[in-house]
Every structure is written in C-alpha cells, then in structure tokens.
Amino acid sequence: MLESKYQVLTGPEGYLPPAAASMGVTLPDKGLALVEGTIVPEKVAIEKIAAKILQAKNPFFFPGPLLLWDWKEGVAQKAAMVKKLAEVAGIKIIPMPDYRPKYPMINPDIEINPNHPNLTIWHNKIDLCLFIGVHCHYANVALKIIRGGTDCYTIALCGEAGHEDAMISLRDVGMAQLEALTEAVSRLKGVANS
C-alpha cells in the first residue's frame, strides 16, 4: 500500500489549501478508512471517531439531503440511527440546506451562492463536524473550505468511496458502521465516566 506523507490535519491551512488527493492521499478500498491521510482498517477509524467525538467541546452533525429526505429504502432507518448516535454522544445537529438546483426556476442568490461552511463553524464555535448524507461534490468543496480557514476537525461518513479532504473518512457507511460507531461511543463514554 502506497502511503502519503501528507497529513490531513485541522487548519487553518491557508486561503487555498491543496487538495489532499494532489498531495498523494488516496481513497481507501472497501473495509478500510482514512485517518488524517493514512489508510487504516475501518474498525480503527471507528474507534478514533468515537474518541474524537467524546473529546470535542462542541461537536455537530451536518446531515445532507441524502439523509434528510426519505428518497430510497433504508434512508429513514439510517436517519434514525444518526439521531440515536447524536443523542448518545451529545452531538448537536445543523441540517445542510437543500443545495440541489430547483428547476425550471433557479434563484441565483440561493442556488449559485458559494458554500460558506466556515462561517457556520466560526459562528457556532464548532470544533468537530461530521458530514453524512452530503453529495460528494458538495462535501469535497466544503471540507477544503473548512480545512483552509478553521481549526475544526472534520469527519466524513460517506455512503460512497470517502473523502480525502476530511481528517477521518469512512466509506460505504450504512447501518453496520453507524451501529458500530454508536456502540464505540457508548463504550468509551462508559469507561470515561467510571
């Protein structure tokens, strides 16, 4: 396995941070994940995510349209599991806006206005954010903006191949991964409270 020496860490990394892919970070194969630019087993990443969530002062979920709208079978169950994880871990939720274009009439002030997740993070003093159900093209832009201008730790729970620009990225996230993450948070929370 070819490993990159570039670490995807919290910023601010500057006005125009390099795309992690251009720095040699590659997406993991099935059963693997990315932690700060390094490919690791999925179970290792789940434990790291659970620990990061519990260490955060102000963690937030940013669910996107793929999770917010019941558009295919299994989405409602996945959304309920995310809500349960948020309750167990004490994570607040800010839903992503419906950024999909509304044809035939497009309001350019809404549809073409650039994404400014850094402003949401600054305003709410968010130190850890978790993306889930966000279309990949939107997540990729948002993750770079966050890394470039904030010190927020980013986690992408992706239903597809993952995101190089997140500090931690799980791929193919379904019920099994969400249940494992909820269990890991509960277990670590129990250890911390004993």
Side-chain angles (χ1 to χ4, degrees):
M1 219 179 329
L2 179 64
E3 291 296 324
S4 164
K5 293 187 184 210
Y6 180 76
Q7 274 193 287
V8 182
L9 300 172
T10 57
E13 194 167 343
Y15 180 67
L16 189 61
S22 71
M23 301 302 290
V25 177
T26 58
L27 291 173
D29 291 329
K30 288 184 181 279
L32 300 172
L34 279 173
V35 173
E36 299 172 357
T38 301
I39 295 173
V40 300
E42 182 180 273
K43 289 179 181 183
V44 171
I46 288 172
E47 291 295 320
K48 180 83 170 180
I49 293 169
K52 286 287 187 183
I53 288 170
L54 294 174
Q55 292 165 3
K57 292 179 184 143
N58 199 22
F60 272 83
F61 260 118
F62 286 95
L66 296 171
L67 185 74
L68 295 174
W69 287 276
D70 192 7
W71 61 285
K72 74 174 187 177
E73 192 174 322
V75 173
Q77 295 83 354
K78 196 173 180 180
M81 193 69 215
V82 168
K83 187 172 184 238
K84 179 181 177 184
L85 171 57
E87 289 168 357
V88 167
I91 302 172
K92 298 174 196 116
I93 300 172
I94 297 177
M96 285 270 187
D98 186 3
Y99 47 74
R100 301 171 297 174
K102 317 304 181 287
Y103 295 107
M105 178 63 179
I106 295 176
N107 179 345
D109 291 338
I110 296 171
E111 309 304 335
I112 302 173
N113 190 26
N115 175 16
H116 293 293
N118 53 328
L119 301 179
T120 301
I121 287 166
W122 290 336
H123 179 72
N124 293 289
K125 298 178 175 56
I126 298 169
D127 63 341
L128 180 133
C129 70
L130 297 103
F131 282 28
I132 187 163
V134 180
H135 290 87
C136 291
H137 65 280
Y138 196 83
N140 288 340
V141 170
L143 289 164
K144 277 190 68 178
I145 291 170
I146 293 167
R147 197 174 88 237
T150 78
D151 63 354
C152 182
Y153 199 90
T154 57
I155 298 171
L157 304 176
C158 183
E160 302 293 331
H163 297 280
E164 302 98 327
D165 285 296
M167 276 110 234
I168 302 178
S169 183
L170 282 183
R171 61 168 292 155
D172 304 310
V173 172
M175 290 299 288
Q177 289 80 8
L178 292 172
E179 287 168 357
L181 183 54
T182 303
E183 186 278 324
V185 168
S186 296
R187 182 175 28 80
L188 291 177
K189 196 174 182 182
V191 169
N193 291 333
S194 12

